[in-house]
Amino acid sequence: MPKDRMQFVCDECGHTSTKWLGNCPNCGSWHTFKEFKVERKTKSEKEHKGKVEGLNDSQPPQKLDDIKSNSEERFLSHIQELDRVLGGGFVPGSFILLGGDPGIGKSTLTLQLGKAVSDLKILYCAGEESAGQIKQRARRLGVESNNFYIYTETDINKVLKEARKLDPDLLIVDSIQTVYRTELTSMAGSIQQVKECAALLQQLAKKQNITTLVIGHVTKEGNIAGPRVLEHMVDTVLQFEGDSNYNYRMLRSLKNRFGPAQEVGVFEMKQSGLVEVLNPSQLFLSDYDSSVSGNAVICSIEGSRPLLAEVQALVTPSNYGTPQRTANGFDHRRLSLLLAVLEKRGGYQFSGQDVYLNIAGGLKVNDPAADLGVVCALVSSLLDDSISKDFAFLGEVGLGGEIRAVNNVDQRLGEIQKLGFEKAIVPQASTIDRKHDLQLIKAANIMAAIKKAL
């Protein structure tokens, strides 16, 4: 009987090693190597390993000019925010990975597809819930469709067989960590099982032209669980973001071969399921109070969509030896950089102050254009002087205190004007092509911007 040998695989990138390593030489991650058995197969087993009926028939090489392109148009999910993130709807034969924290709404969104696209045939393969539980949740969400099929099976070979037999327009697998292949002795969710099952589902999508959507678990850091190669195998990676303390959910495309990456859709979780938020700027500014010092409005670009958000800053004398620096929804290191610029270039002293920064509504902002609004909010709180309700800010702050130009200025100004603001402080170097009814105030550095804002 052949003896199994041990191997170590990096959870992040799938790099293999014959011994355990603290640091992965391929991706640089620490403490990500996991041990697993490599099964030694006999000759007859090797001949049959990896073969799945109907998926392993290869075609001979073809000339590029002889290949018939698939000119089929996308089919819509009829959920506008999801279609936006996908780049205009589902592409036939595409392979999609959907990740997110537990309970954030992944299964709810996929189940609601049965309500939105009742004219398409959907096969929902559930490995985490029984058919009765899914039926109960579908009734609560108002899902009624004669073309929505539930299949509670985790054996990947049976899933593939039923998918080829039913030939659905959309196959949903919930989740990739629960399906397994009987030819492998490792348990479901292991690196071997995830890679093997994902490879088979990828072949099904491409060779049978079945659009496949796979739900994936995430790690405690928020990254999609399993080997990094999983994200390379799929055409599109979607991730749900959101705070459990808020009802708002953001669906972001981290990778998209058929549309723009980093596109964002906004949903609100209600008793009846996920509801689209078509005007998120108004939602995030619903409780904005301009009479309180430290509050400012910024305009961030998320994907191709401008979003207005409220920045809240609180600067108060420190009671400890080391001042506290806390940021929620904003990069902590970026906050430290902006505080250093304010001290060095602006002359404002934060060394003995606790600084707390929050982006209201649970939104996470990574756009450098938020810098100017954050800087003005910090100084407003330090001086206890509120900013006028008519102002909105956009601009990147450099290390010299200069305000640098940002992209999509016209689009941002259009959103600011739509929300009823009258003035906007923008970088001096901004190129504005369209006419706006806003009063545009250009500033070359943070001192000029602060003086005009306060």
Side-chain angles (χ1 to χ4, degrees):
M1 185 74 181
K3 186 180 178 182
D4 293 343
R5 62 187 176 88
M6 305 307 294
Q7 203 171 46
F8 296 86
V9 177
C10 174
D11 265 348
E12 291 292 324
C13 65
H15 180 75
T16 58
S17 172
T18 55
K19 61 180 181 179
W20 185 86
L21 299 173
N23 176 248
C24 177
N26 186 48
C27 66
S29 300
W30 287 89
H31 307 298
T32 55
F33 274 89
K34 300 293 189 303
E35 182 182 24
F36 75 94
K37 289 183 180 180
V38 178
E39 305 160 33
R40 293 185 179 273
K41 300 292 184 181
T42 62
K43 184 177 180 180
S44 60
E45 287 175 322
K46 287 179 180 178
E47 290 174 353
H48 291 88
K49 183 177 184 281
K51 291 188 176 181
V52 177
E53 183 182 352
L55 293 184
N56 295 89
D57 301 329
S58 60
Q59 294 183 349
Q62 296 174 275
K63 290 183 179 180
L64 181 62
D65 293 339
D66 296 339
I67 298 175
K68 295 181 180 179
S69 63
N70 185 3
S71 58
E72 288 186 68
E73 296 183 357
R74 299 170 183 257
F75 61 91
L76 299 176
S77 69
H78 298 293
I79 301 176
Q80 292 184 39
E81 294 298 288
L82 177 58
D83 289 332
R84 168 197 286 273
V85 175
L86 291 172
F90 288 102
V91 174
S94 59
F95 190 24
I96 303 164
L97 176 63
L98 173 63
D101 293 331
I104 201 167
K106 304 184 297 297
S107 300
T108 300
L109 179 64
T110 52
L111 196 57
Q112 284 184 223
L113 286 171
K115 178 181 179 181
V117 288
S118 57
D119 55 326
L120 297 177
K121 189 186 295 184
I122 300 176
L123 175 59
Y124 188 100
C125 296
E128 300 180 351
E129 295 176 283
S130 67
Q133 290 172 325
I134 296 173
K135 173 65 177 178
Q136 184 179 6
R137 190 152 50 90
R139 189 184 297 116
R140 177 173 58 84
L141 298 175
V143 179
E144 293 181 0
S145 174
N146 292 327
N147 290 325
F148 198 93
Y149 296 83
I150 305 296
Y151 187 47
T152 54
E153 181 56 62
T154 54
D155 185 340
I156 190 65
N157 292 329
K158 293 181 180 179
V159 170
L160 297 173
K161 181 180 178 181
E162 289 298 325
R164 293 196 307 273
K165 179 181 176 182
L166 190 62
D167 191 26
D169 297 297
L170 177 63
L171 169 64
I172 300 171
V173 179
D174 185 8
S175 65
I176 188 63
Q177 278 81 14
T178 59
V179 294
Y180 66 93
R181 193 170 185 200
T182 55
E183 288 83 353
L184 300 176
T185 58
S186 54
M187 64 181 294
S190 66
I191 294 173
Q192 280 182 302
Q193 290 283 8
V194 169
K195 288 171 66 176
E196 183 76 9
C197 293
L200 292 174
L201 289 169
Q202 181 192 44
Q203 291 182 53
L204 177 74
K206 303 305 176 186
K207 294 185 177 182
Q208 305 293 324
N209 201 37
I210 297 174
T211 304
T212 304
L213 192 155
V214 173
I215 293 176
H217 297 167
V218 295
T219 62
K220 61 183 180 180
E221 290 83 15
N223 301 318
I224 294 177
R228 182 67 67 176
V229 69
L230 177 62
E231 297 179 41
H232 295 293
M233 293 171 68
V234 301
D235 298 314
T236 305
V237 179
L238 306 180
Q239 183 146 355
F240 256 122
E241 299 174 356
D243 193 323
S244 59
N245 297 317
Y246 297 93
N247 291 329
Y248 313 127
R249 305 285 187 265
M250 299 189 69
L251 182 64
R252 188 185 302 271
S253 63
L254 304 180
K255 168 189 174 181
N256 194 352
R257 288 176 179 159
F258 309 115
Q262 296 301 321
E263 190 61 80
V264 168
V266 183
F267 297 87
E268 184 177 2
M269 179 64 80
K270 294 186 176 180
Q271 184 66 25
S272 58
L274 288 166
V275 178
E276 302 168 79
V277 178
L278 301 180
N279 190 358
S281 294
Q282 193 169 13
L283 181 71
F284 291 126
L285 292 178
S286 58
D287 297 323
Y288 174 59
D289 185 358
S290 60
S291 63
V292 179
S293 64
N295 289 359
V297 174
I298 60 170
C299 187
S300 170
I301 290 285
E302 298 292 338
S304 62
R305 159 187 277 172
L307 286 180
L308 264 63
E310 178 187 353
V311 175
Q312 298 175 321
L314 178 62
V315 180
T316 181
S318 177
N319 294 322
Y320 305 97
T322 303
Q324 302 294 306
R325 302 285 186 264
T326 303
N328 183 28
F330 192 78
D331 185 20
H332 186 273
R333 291 171 296 183
R334 189 73 182 173
L335 173 61
S336 299
L337 183 149
L338 294 176
L339 289 172
V341 172
L342 282 171
E343 289 196 352
K344 181 74 174 178
R345 309 299 180 190
Y348 297 100
Q349 294 300 317
F350 291 89
S351 56
Q353 307 285 334
D354 288 337
V355 177
Y356 305 94
L357 187 73
N358 177 52
I359 306 296
L363 185 66
K364 294 181 181 178
V365 175
N366 297 312
D367 191 350
D371 289 354
L372 183 57
V374 170
V375 163
C376 291
L378 290 169
V379 176
S380 169
S381 181
L382 177 68
L383 303 179
D384 198 20
D385 188 4
S386 61
I387 298 171
S388 171
K389 65 178 181 179
D390 300 328
F391 277 101
F393 302 86
L394 57 100
E396 179 183 359
V397 175
L399 293 181
E402 75 279 9
I403 303 175
R404 297 177 175 271
V406 295
N407 60 354
N408 300 315
V409 175
D410 287 306
Q411 193 178 0
R412 296 175 196 262
L413 293 177
E415 184 72 8
I416 291 171
Q417 181 180 322
K418 188 172 73 173
L419 269 291
F421 289 88
E422 298 177 1
K423 302 175 184 177
I425 298 184
V426 300
Q428 182 77 46
S430 294
T431 302
I432 300 169
D433 299 325
R434 299 204 312 260
K435 283 189 176 181
H436 300 276
D437 295 334
L438 291 167
Q439 180 183 344
L440 299 181
I441 302 172
K442 292 189 175 183
N445 53 61
I446 57 172
M447 293 307 297
I450 293 169
K451 183 178 179 180
K452 292 171 181 176
L454 300 177

